Amino acid sequence: MMSEDWFEVRCVAPDLWMIAEPLHVVSWLYIGSERAALLDTGTGIAPIAPIVASLTDRPVVVVNTHYHFDHIGNNPAFKERLASVASGPLMRLPASRQLLDRYLRTYDGFIAEARERIQVDPDAFAMAPETQPREFPLTFNSEEWRPGSIAATGLLRDGNEIDLGDRRLRVIDTPGHSPDGICLVDAERGVLFAGDTLTEGPLYVHYDESSAASLLASTLRLFKLAGDLRVICCGHVARAVAEVSLIDDTIAALRAVLDGRADCRETSDVFGYPIFEARFGRVWITQSTGAATSFRLYDGEPVE
């Protein structure tokens, strides 16, 4: 399998490209008349830069929605890398080797399960290509894979704008999933890039650094924009492109959890750690079980 086969690439609107990694993270390429913005760079399991170069010849600025390893893995391939002020020290932290290894084992399990299902039913994955498991690229070296430890070249504050020529992206601070989360909005065209602030399926707030209350406050900020929005571009599958009503659904789910009105079931996260999960239709809110396990996503001290 070639590296480029790892990605599902699709044009979802003029000059708006989805670059998805199977069953997981989504990066977005938004092309203006003078330059393009790459919203997150993926896991780094396969190089994303050749994909971007095949889609645009304009200068590319990376904008990271937060510092988590699955959104910054290809950052070193780009010269201009922007992130929020809160991301500043976090971007230089090395990702947790333990969590990376657990993530790879989980994905290996998905592949093995998919093989078994396809043997029984060849049409088992008659769904969007980005939701289907794929083998790791032959070029991928799991032992050398270590996203993180690279600083942003510029820091963004709430309200800052990124000028792409005929398009502008405004920064909105949206902590909760992580302390440094941001969203980007093109108010003129009604496009919201949500990072991990909004998603269909599991919305992770069980990490040590997460806060459901902060995420609710952030989502309420987005609600004020909803009347001018047409589409939400999420940072993960199952559905990368979501209706604006996802904001309302997320607010209702978070309020139910915070008010103690949620029925939770015990399950596990992508790393295999036990969590509680409350499901509200298309929005699932995760919470810590209170076990001793730490969900810290990095190891050691920042790399200078």
Side-chain angles (χ1 to χ4, degrees), residues 2 61 86 114 209 214 219 221:
M2 302 298 290
V61 54
E209 64 181 13
S214 295
T219 311
R221 291 196 69 190

Side-chain angles (χ1 to χ4, degrees), residues 5 13 33 43 48 77 130 137 142 152 155 165 172 178 213 222 225 264 283 294:
D5 295 331
S33 59
T43 63
I48 202 172
E130 62 270 18
S142 60
L155 299 178
I172 306 169
S178 67
L222 298 180
L225 305 174
C264 297
V283 180
S294 173

